[in-house]
Amino acid sequence: MKQIAEWIRTKNPELDREPGLQEDLIEARLIDSLDFLEFIYLLESFSGRPIDLGEVSVDDFRTLERIEHRFLTPAAGAGS
């Protein structure tokens, strides 16, 4: 999660802290539509599996906590 938080910080140089685990990344505009596909590729590289955009919703990307649960835990590929 540290690397994901660091990616968010590089995209938001005005951010002087790491985003919180439950902070709404979309509401806070820390992940915008222009960077979203790059973010998907980043998650795919960390998880080692593709993300089917037809099987996810925007809510799956709202918080670092949800991202970790949905994409980066061992059971995440089993239809979380």
Side-chain angles (χ1 to χ4, degrees):
M1 291 309 302
K2 192 133 184 96
Q3 292 167 313
I4 292 171
E6 191 57 38
W7 181 89
I8 291 169
R9 287 195 64 201
T10 62
K11 296 295 181 176
N12 299 278
E14 72 285 352
L15 190 64
D16 61 355
R17 59 177 173 71
E18 285 192 9
L21 287 177
Q22 295 181 350
E23 182 173 358
D24 191 320
L25 304 172
I26 295 168
E27 283 289 319
R29 299 189 187 279
L30 297 177
I31 299 175
D32 65 24
S33 58
L34 297 175
D35 293 323
F36 190 70
L37 285 180
E38 183 181 344
F39 187 65
I40 295 294
Y41 294 134
L42 178 75
L43 290 177
E44 288 177 335
S45 72
F46 288 139
S47 70
R49 60 186 175 273
I51 295 172
D52 182 348
L53 295 179
E55 294 184 10
V56 295
S57 75
V58 70
D59 289 333
D60 292 323
F61 303 95
R62 283 206 178 270
T63 67
L64 290 175
E65 184 176 69
R66 179 67 181 152
I67 290 166
E68 182 176 37
H69 173 75
R70 180 70 169 92
F71 303 106
L72 302 176
T73 59
S80 291

